[in-house]
Amino acid sequence: MPDGIDVVRPYGDTTGDGMVQLSFTLPVPPGPRAEGAALQLAGKMGIAPAMVVHSHGIGGGGGGGAAFTFFVVYGPVRHLVDLAAVQVEERAYPLLSPGEVDGAIRAGLHRQLVVLGACIGTDAHTVGIDAILNIKGFAGEKGLEYHREMRVANLGAQVTVPELVARARAERADAVLVSQVVTQRDAHLRNTRELAAAFREAMGEARPLLVVGGPRFDPAMAAELGVDRVFGRGTTPGEVASYLVHALIGSRRPDTPAPEDP
Amino acid sequence: MPDGIDVVRPYGDTTGDGMVQLSFTLPVPPGPRAEGAALQLAGKMGIAPAMVVHSHGIGGGGGGGAAFTFFVVYGPVRHLVDLAAVQVEERAYPLLSPGEVDGAIRAGLHRQLVVLGACIGTDAHTVGIDAILNIKGFAGEKGLEYHREMRVANLGAQVTVPELVARARAERADAVLVSQVVTQRDAHLRNTRELAAAFREAMGEARPLLVVGGPRFDPAMAAELGVDRVFGRGTTPGEVASYLVHALIGSRRPDTPAPEDP
Amino acid sequence: MTARLDLDPALVTRARELAACAAQPVVDLARAHTTVSVERAVLRLAGLTGTDPVTGDGDRREGTARDGTATDRVPWVNRVVDAVRDQVGLEHGVALPVWHALASGAAPDLQAVAEQVGAGTARFVVPTGAGAERARDAARAAVAAGLARVDANRARREELVARLGDAPRRPWVYLIVATGDIHEDIPQAQAAARAGADVIAVIRSTGQSLLDYVPEGATRTGYAGTYATQENFRLMRAALDDVSAELGRYVRLTNYASGLCMPEIAVLAGLERLDMMLNDAMYGILFRDINPRRTFVDQRFSRMVHARAGIVINTGEDNYLTTADAVDEAHTVTVSQLLNETLAKEAGLEDWQLGLGHAFEIDPDLPDSFRLELAHALLARSLFPDAPLKWMPPTKHMTGDVFRGYLLDGFFNLAGALTGQGILLVGMMTEAVVTPWLSDRDLALRNVRYVLDAAGGLVEDFAPPPGGFIDRRADSVLREAVALLERIADHPQGLIQAIADGTFGITRRPPDGGKGLDGVVALTAEAYNPALELLEAVRA
Amino acid sequence: MTARLDLDPALVTRARELAACAAQPVVDLARAHTTVSVERAVLRLAGLTGTDPVTGDGDRREGTARDGTATDRVPWVNRVVDAVRDQVGLEHGVALPVWHALASGAAPDLQAVAEQVGAGTARFVVPTGAGAERARDAARAAVAAGLARVDANRARREELVARLGDAPRRPWVYLIVATGDIHEDIPQAQAAARAGADVIAVIRSTGQSLLDYVPEGATRTGYAGTYATQENFRLMRAALDDVSAELGRYVRLTNYASGLCMPEIAVLAGLERLDMMLNDAMYGILFRDINPRRTFVDQRFSRMVHARAGIVINTGEDNYLTTADAVDEAHTVTVSQLLNETLAKEAGLEDWQLGLGHAFEIDPDLPDSFRLELAHALLARSLFPDAPLKWMPPTKHMTGDVFRGYLLDGFFNLAGALTGQGILLVGMMTEAVVTPWLSDRDLALRNVRYVLDAAGGLVEDFAPPPGGFIDRRADSVLREAVALLERIADHPQGLIQAIADGTFGITRRPPDGGKGLDGVVALTAEAYNPALELLEAVRA
Ligand code: B12
Ligand code: B12
Ligand SMILES: Cc1ncc(COP(=O)(O)O)c(C=O)c1O
Ligand SMILES: Cc1ncc(COP(=O)(O)O)c(C=O)c1O
């Protein structure tokens, strides 16, 4: 795509054709009414003309007919994508090498940076937070524990928010890193809001930097969730370390003061 | 779905969750900007919050980076589907057995019903029209040729519109059945409009019943295309035969007069 | 019909001997202890149900919704066991003091004992001599009634299978429902059964395994799974009985025993005619950080109940491969299968009840990954020729590319068919995205049907040659497994030490760490557990 | 490495003898006739290009767009051949009158002859004696220059393959682009090559095969395919040369010869270094209703050109299975392959150039469908051990369920790997929906890569036993094929009669029906075709 072009459409097989593929299930038995309903939905989504290219009933057989219909729809969306208006959580900070990270902490903080990590709520998926924290790391990068200038405690899974607040206070944590993988019924959003509220209440302005991550987070949601930064799928330890340096040492943002120096 | 419920939403794993799956390609190199663009599009389609659960570059490798990004998106659509507002091309006529079809023609027309079939334009996909016309038929139903009271001529593929008009006039066709399978660049719509215009011009009110079919047609488009009826994917010969009886003999619609009796 | 590998028979014998030896310390431990959950299970078998109405936060707490049942009310069995423990300790078991109270006329029935506990008026003592004899007899009779119900369910299952018909073929097609709401789960389970599922598993809400009680009632408020409760079991079994009758084929129901309440959940499964249960000797330890001692005592009791109920267990070796690499750590799966086998047999389970777990979790980008999967799967098949084997689909390497996921699941299904797996857990294209949708399940079943119908017979043409890639790989995994077992068996603490060393799923769990250790109690010589007595009597 | 079936060798020999016998009437027919397109091909080899500027409707007609080239302008080769035919007939060929005109000084060069035709001033006579000798020499020299360019292209291909490297393995991965716009096709083809395609085919616009001329220029206005023009060939070959250099592997280009202009398109392919061509002895007859005589004359000439150009042909047996049932009519595929083989060899093609077609088109809902596919594919593999074989993906039974389609394509890929196919046409999940999207192609290549990398080695373990399902099925298809060949060879008109009887793709085509018969001309004894002479000389 040549630079300078700001408005694009999805690309099926020709520039500008706007083609997309969509699938969903409606709680309607299969038949012309269901197909009409599917076309109505596709139309509301901006697909015109929409083609229902496949449908089949779900849950039928045996006694009763199917109560649901699954659809595959193809067609062009009329919407334009305005690249100029895209909100990108661009990395507003440089990606530092491990040596640079340690150097920055040494120079800027004159002590170890204290990082706490945990999975909160009933989430027991530790692989993601381990990938960020453990020496073994992720995608060829070593985790935060590797840094000489960081003191990292990985509290593991199913940690409650009050426990985490207490530990953060006790350890004088600079940053608290929380992983949330289960998203059913927006568990991850609820838990993150609860986390933010608890830290706000317990520590006010003096709270540590709050960082959450997990594969289904939208990085643009940090403010809305009341945390400082959100990392999504495929995050690497280096990105997180660089961010910590940026936020806690480099260019401290006015609205997220770091904890008082001891 | 209990009767009486008129407003539904897509069903992922709970009633009303609105969940859909979407995939498309944007002409933007992979990266945060592309993901943001994908989220913007999903948002415009009414998916909120949208999750970009997968993306990969297309066309990269070797020299340059990828110029396109493919996305898979999941999330809830906010739109409601109003079942009461669904436009269904319901069969407004009874489905007749082959015997009933022949009986109706005998009783109502006192001569054989003349049917011409063809694929027009450069479309050479004859399997669909053959399924409707040939004895062999489709889905266990015999094709129109099976009917004693019909005289069927299947002109095959790549028939031009002028040829077809000439044949229809010569044979005093009651109905002309046209198949269109190739849809790239809306070839099927263009060809159908051309068909309708040519018959209108050549024969005016006296034109035969015009029926088109093919897997990618939306049956609701007949009026817009200037034909009497459109059949979509999975049509069976019996549906077509029943329609012909209904339209030409049974309850002749005021706006689509059948050809003058000879 | 299925391809088998010619494994070195001496090696196979040696592997089993070593496993038995490594497991012995665990068996000894389990025989010498009880747990709060084992004792609660005894009360459940004796018929005690319900919750203390003055406990719980009702709908103010997480895990409880406006339209669901309070899932945090404390069951009577907990209240009673806690009271006994407070007053006389648990080292004699709960049966002696409780049935002594009953026999001595302090309460007319078990429910009344519980209500006295609730009111704070219950007083327990440990009887001796004739009093103990009397309490034992009464307890035995009460528990026997519960076991009779378990036996009746087993007979009923056999009758239904005979009358309605069984799954049409192996592998059994096993599908998960996981909405969190039993009333959404039911129609989804029925839809899946109609579309071809032979087994339905209801996944539990996150966090339930760490609850030291079993919630009660029909629930609608789970996260990424539905609470395992007796009422949910009953509702789902009834719904599947309906659909079984409709389809003319008995559809099996599965739930999860592992967690802090293994013994009780095993009892509830027996009472409500569940057909299969996830039950691994080590899963709770490794993946839920439950104390090893607690787990080992609980798992033995729960497995004895399953043995009696005619329930097929599913072990959890597949989970190791979600944290550890499926190629590097393939031999730990084999070792764990051998350990699960030896512990299961000690608890009275038979070969046909051993759904030993393994999984298709090799990085699909690895060259020859599919053939490596075949090698591992055939190794398990050849090592445990009479066990059904539970074959888990790809999860770790699934991504949001649902098309790729659907393909991978197809190859998983093919591997299952080619290697004669007994229980095929159907993979979902949305594995990396969401808990399965209704449509995911349906599409997944279409995938299974295509593969089994179109290519299932390929076993006739599948003949990995001796000395070929598959044969060599299987042999080397077996050798690594035996070497590891040698190291484990070498240690006086055997398996307990191996777990502390991080042998499985690269997770270290020391014997005194984790949750629930305070629920473990060393038994005295006079301790009495009527359930254990009755369960062991049959086996003797 | 690949599994082979032990076919009955007597049966195989008999099959080949019968095929040669059935094809003989076709060869005789082809030798005795020329066609307008054969004659135009001679002029193209001699270097005549361009269109008559006063013909065509410019952008008013379908097939022509504002930003593209007029695709309906009449090429000079057509104008000249038509003029010759009008004035002196074609039964001597076009070379004698045209080069007589040149040799006698009526025009300085071929282009000038064409312009005289355009102006209506050209006068042709058929020379005799020394005049004929002179015309023949001049014509031979002119055509030899064209053939030299074809030879140079063949050498250049060999050099590029040697220098850059070849496709990394068999099967070659073959992908289609079909936007209708050469400028959209190019980046899509390059993207596909980068993602792993070894061969790119540019599908033609619907209807081109019925044009009795080859459009000219770079075109952007095709429907469901892009016009085959010399300029489009050149642009795409250049773009693939760029990407070949970038990737360090020679990426092949394919187009379609079949249609009313087979001979000319074959020449253009040779001149622009295409690497493979769809070229079936019967496709045009059966699927485009082109006259059988026209087709048989044209295909022989076009194949001789391909033989010279070192081009691999792809035959079209797969198409039968889109109209006929893949199980019932499996033997017609085998018969057609044998006929295509015998006709191809007669035209000078060698085994390595025979991409004989077959396809994965059995109804996937049929039990054991995958194994039936394997049986058919192995039969072809075993019958034509030295031919590359072109393996076509499922199309007929693809539906709008793109998930199922993606799975089916995966099993198609597996069958291709297990049976040693040479050229793997990559299936698209959107087969039943649209011409392939950029993303479809990319996903399809990911599918191929997974299957070949993860499971390609499974051939080691794939050993259909003698007397087993696969072996029995292959044997019975071969027997049915021989029986059918016997019936065909029995008739004096052989294949020509079989086609009239509806033997292939359940389509009947009488020898005198269909399009283009008026372009067929019986040759006199004095007829001269310099291209045929030069092409046959090499073979002798
Ligand atoms: C491994 C796994 C497990 C293992 C976990 C082992 C362990 N110790 O973690 C086991 C087998 C125990 C397990 C169990 C369950 N699982 Co699970 N599991 C997975 C699986 C297969 C892979 C997850 C993973 O390890 N990814 C690899 C890591 C590296 O990726 P990641 O987590 O995205 O982390 C990266 C980024 O997101 C980011 N990141 C993540 N956290 C953080 C934190 C910070 C601070 C930062 C900066 C970055 C960051 O950086 C990481 C590196 O890039 C997924 C399916 C899948 N393929 O994704 C299901 C999945 C996550 N599990 C799921 C479920 C439902 C469960 C269960 C609840 C099922 C049940 N009811 O029994 C149980 C119970 C678990 C519980 N109580 O939470 C669901 C969640 C559905 C949803 N969206 O809500 C999934 C998606 C499967 C599914 N489709 O149903 N699971
Ligand atoms: C078979 C087939 C062919 C055969 C056709 C043989 C023949 N004699 O028909 C062959 C191999 C020759 C062929 C060639 C090509 N094909 Co084709 N082909 C198909 C295929 C695999 C199946 C179509 C089919 O037979 N369906 C079965 C019939 C029974 O279904 P149907 O047509 O939908 O008909 C039903 C209804 O729609 C309805 N109906 C249809 N017509 C009518 C008419 C009336 C009056 C009524 C009442 C009802 C009705 O009733 C029928 C019964 O239910 C499809 C892919 C697919 N799986 O769908 C591609 C497909 C249709 N082909 C396609 C293309 C592009 C081509 C080519 C143009 C490619 C090329 N450039 O070379 C060529 C050229 C053909 C041409 N000039 O038109 C595309 C069309 C893309 C698009 N949407 O525009 C498809 C979708 C494949 C693809 N994804 O690229 N093809
Ligand atoms: C053996 C075993 N037990 C239990 C579970 C589920 O346990 P929980 O409910 O703690 O997530 C699993 C999950 O896969 C398992 O494999
Ligand atoms: C052998 C052969 N030739 C030609 C074609 C394409 O021909 P057309 O351009 O006429 O559609 C095909 C299509 O699949 C084919 O198989």
Side-chain angles (χ1 to χ4, degrees), chain D residues 204-205 209 256 258 278-280 283 288 314-316 318-319 390:
Chain D
R204 287 188 306 190
S205 178
S209 36
Y256 294 69
S258 330
L278 278 273
N279 183 310
D280 188 279
Y283 174 88
R288 290 293 169 271
N314 290 182
T315 63
D318 41 279
N319 295 292
K390 175 193 77 159

Side-chain angles (χ1 to χ4, degrees), chain A residues 21 25 56-64 68 70 122-124 127 136 157-158 182-187 190-191 194 216, chain C residues 62 178-181 191 194 206-207 210 220-225 246-247 288 323 403 432-433 435 438-439 442-443 446:
Chain A
Q21 172 273 330
T25 299
H56 67 246
I58 297 185
F68 297 89
F70 174 70
T122 54
D123 200 326
V127 179
K136 197 182 157 203
Q158 309 194 181
V182 174
T183 59
Q184 211 204 26
R185 302 188 182 200
D186 287 337
R190 262 181 47 157
N191 287 335
E194 186 189 331
R216 296 283 86 83
Chain C
E62 174 177 353
T179 68
D181 179 339
R194 292 194 182 101
T206 61
L210 298 188
R220 320 193 63 162
T221 56
Y223 279 93
E246 171 192 319
L247 298 174
R288 290 292 169 272
T323 48
F403 300 102
V433 184
T435 45
L438 180 76
S439 55
D442 189 76
L443 288 170
R446 288 167 186 262

Side-chain angles (χ1 to χ4, degrees), chain B residues 2-198:
Chain B
D3 277 332
I5 297 201
D6 268 356
V7 173
V8 298
R9 300 185 69 204
Y11 183 106
D13 74 346
T14 322
T15 302
D17 62 17
M19 300 302 268
V20 305
Q21 172 272 332
L22 175 72
S23 75
F24 54 83
T25 300
L26 290 178
V28 179
R33 186 151 152 278
E35 306 249 326
L39 287 172
Q40 186 194 101
L41 177 64
K44 288 186 176 177
M45 294 177 76
I47 304 177
M51 302 186 285
V52 172
V53 303
H54 174 76
S55 68
H56 67 247
I58 298 185
F68 298 89
T69 309
F70 174 69
F71 299 93
V72 179
V73 174
Y74 275 80
V77 270
R78 61 161 182 271
H79 309 295
L80 302 176
V81 178
D82 180 358
L83 295 177
V86 168
Q87 300 277 355
V88 186
E89 277 308 285
E90 291 281 17
R91 241 188 326 98
Y93 50 90
L95 204 56
L96 306 179
S97 71
E100 289 167 336
V101 166
D102 280 339
I105 299 174
R106 232 177 350 253
L109 207 60
H110 317 296
R111 61 163 173 81
Q112 279 190 315
L113 189 113
V114 181
V115 177
L116 280 192
C119 296
I120 59 171
T122 53
D123 201 325
H125 290 91
T126 53
V127 179
I129 187 83
D130 289 350
I132 303 298
L133 298 183
N134 291 5
I135 300 259
K136 196 183 157 201
F138 185 72
E141 294 182 8
K142 298 245 186 287
L144 303 192
E145 288 178 354
Y146 174 76
H147 289 274
R148 240 174 247 265
E149 301 298 330
M150 291 198 192
R151 183 154 59 78
V152 175
N154 185 346
L155 309 183
Q158 309 195 179
V159 177
T160 65
V161 169
E163 274 176 63
L164 190 59
V165 172
R167 273 297 282 273
R169 201 194 296 267
E171 310 247 357
R172 296 176 171 273
D174 296 294
V176 170
L177 272 56
V178 160
S179 181
Q180 284 287 279
V181 173
V182 174
T183 60
Q184 210 204 28
R185 302 184 183 205
D186 287 337
H188 61 315
L189 306 181
R190 262 181 47 156
N191 286 335
T192 303
R193 290 205 180 90
E194 186 188 331
L195 172 84

